[in-house]
Amino acid sequence: MSYFIDRGYTSLNKKGEELCGDRVQCAISGDYVTAVLCDGMGSGVKANILATLSSKILCTMLSAGVSLKDCIETLIGSLPVCKERGVAYATFSVCHINSEGKGELLEFDNPAAILLRGGDALDLDREKSVICGKTVYTTKLDLATDDALVITSDGVEHAGIGMLLNFGWERPQIKDYLRRAIKRGMSATAISASLASECNELYMHEPGDDTTVLGIKVRNHAPTSVLVGPPMNKEDDAAWISDFMALPGKKAVCGGTSSTIVSRYLGKEVTTSFDFPDRDIPPIGYIDGIDLTTEGVITIRRVLELSEAYLDSGNCEAKTFDKRDGATLLAKLLFEDSTELNFFVGQSINEAHKGLPIETTMKLKLIDRLAENLRRMGKSVNVRYN
């Protein structure tokens, strides 16, 4: 069975540092997703450089099928040596997994990853080996739907040390938190943000170490189609809506004119909510057979803003969507619930927008930027214009 390999991470910079000493790199090669978390020695600029270089080397070489031994030899030979400690490396965790959920996890000096399965938080079976004098642990992966890996830098285990906790956040406590806090429908990004946010609380919002959580989750494919605007030629309306409705998965319709056309095609009435959870965002509507109906350009502009915040790896709060306004509901549908997106973007000039600073070109630019951000989240995105 083919799955969607969801991945997302959240990082906290050590207090007083502009750059994070941890680095996450992801690459897709054929049927495989490779995700690398590196923790550079120390903190600040030097650690950031070490982690960036290490993660790039590992991610590029492993995704190209180079052996682990050759990767580590290259890594050791590439990094500068620390004058104080006489060693030069960044610790790392590498997940190399295909669309069937099979692959391997490689870990060197990072905390052991945790497997989330069926509401439990479990340890993984690890095989120890020595490569180029370095101890590396390997785990063979065979994951199924809703299984998730939680991969962390040591900043997670250091959380709260000397503050709220005497000895840091010990592994049994971390696993207990994951059992309580992580719900089945959460994305990899939401999982990482939840754990990182708790670390931030334990650090009292002044992290004593760079802290990164990388989530890898196996998900069933969840396509969503979004209709934004009617086609240029009115005679194309029926075919446009027919193609939109024929695709599998959830459906969202954005814009008053779009809603009218869809309701006419389906023979269903459009009703409008009178709730204003956010005064700046127009209320949502309802059409039987459509999962979400919203206003157009204003809502999409807010969703674009939310996508920028969601992609900010240091923003824990931007990964949760508790509000009920149209923009937040659409953002949750696109960012959290969906794995593939199909946009149907009509280029007809809306008569209702004459005299207003809303143009077709503005809508197209918003969709293009949103689509690019969704691709950065790891989504498969197709945009169709008419």
Side-chain angles (χ1 to χ4, degrees), residues 13 19-23 38-44 47-48 50-51 210:
N13 293 7
L19 296 176
C20 186
D22 302 335
R23 184 74 173 185
C38 283
D39 181 353
M41 183 182 298
S43 60
N48 179 267
L50 288 170
D210 296 308

Side-chain angles (χ1 to χ4, degrees), residues 271-292:
T271 58
T272 303
S273 171
F274 292 100
D275 294 330
F276 281 86
D278 187 324
R279 291 291 175 180
D280 295 326
I281 303 298
I284 63 173
Y286 301 95
I287 304 174
D288 189 18
I290 300 299
D291 296 280
L292 180 62

Side-chain angles (χ1 to χ4, degrees), residues 129-380:
S129 60
V130 178
I131 303 175
C132 302
K134 306 295 183 183
T135 301
V136 178
Y137 293 92
T138 304
T139 300
K140 295 297 182 183
L141 299 176
D142 188 3
L143 306 182
T145 306
D146 289 328
D147 284 351
L149 294 176
V150 179
I151 301 169
T152 68
S153 64
D154 59 6
V156 172
E157 294 184 345
H158 294 162
I161 192 166
M163 299 168 134
L164 297 179
L165 302 173
N166 289 332
F167 303 106
W169 206 15
E170 297 180 356
R171 188 175 179 85
Q173 297 170 311
I174 296 171
K175 291 163 69 175
D176 284 343
Y177 172 81
L178 291 170
R179 292 185 186 102
R180 295 193 314 270
I182 305 306
K183 308 304 178 187
R184 180 173 178 175
M186 293 173 69
S187 70
T189 299
I191 291 171
S192 73
S194 177
L195 184 56
S197 179
E198 186 67 11
C199 290
N200 204 28
E201 293 294 328
L202 292 173
Y203 277 124
M204 300 176 70
H205 299 272
E206 295 185 349
D209 193 6
D210 296 308
T211 303
T212 297
V213 183
L214 168 63
I216 307 289
K217 184 172 184 178
V218 174
R219 300 176 60 181
N220 290 325
H221 291 274
T224 293
S225 298
V226 184
L227 182 71
V228 187
M232 293 186 68
N233 300 315
K234 193 172 181 61
E235 55 269 25
D236 293 335
D237 284 359
W240 184 244
I241 305 304
S242 176
D243 290 348
F244 170 70
M245 295 301 300
L247 290 178
K250 293 185 177 182
K251 303 288 187 296
V253 176
C254 304
T257 306
S258 301
S259 303
T260 300
I261 295 172
V262 171
S263 68
R264 186 189 308 130
Y265 177 87
L266 296 177
K268 306 291 185 179
E269 182 183 0
V270 183
T271 58
T272 303
S273 171
F274 292 100
D275 294 330
F276 281 86
D278 187 324
R279 291 291 175 180
D280 295 326
I281 303 298
I284 63 173
Y286 301 95
I287 304 174
D288 189 18
I290 300 299
D291 296 280
L292 180 62
T293 304
T294 74
E295 180 272 341
V297 173
I298 296 173
T299 299
I300 293 171
R301 184 187 291 114
R302 173 65 67 83
V303 173
L304 177 61
E305 293 171 358
L306 292 173
S307 73
E308 298 285 356
Y310 188 86
L311 286 166
D312 180 356
S313 61
N315 190 337
C316 301
E317 287 70 27
K319 279 72 170 179
T320 55
F321 302 94
D322 298 327
K323 295 172 63 178
R324 304 298 298 171
D325 62 276
T328 303
L329 292 172
L330 183 57
K332 182 179 184 301
L333 176 62
L334 301 182
F335 309 165
E336 285 288 297
D337 301 342
S338 306
T339 60
E340 295 98 31
L341 285 310
N342 293 287
F343 284 92
F344 286 69
V345 185
Q347 301 182 74
S348 174
I349 297 175
N350 193 332
E351 293 293 327
H353 292 164
K354 284 189 174 181
L356 297 175
I358 301 176
E359 301 175 359
T360 301
T361 53
M362 179 190 297
K363 177 177 67 178
L364 299 182
K365 288 179 180 178
L366 290 173
I367 294 297
D368 286 345
R369 290 173 59 191
L370 178 57
E372 181 56 33
N373 283 351
L374 290 165
R375 293 186 183 101
R376 289 172 58 195
M377 295 176 197
K379 316 288 186 185
S380 172

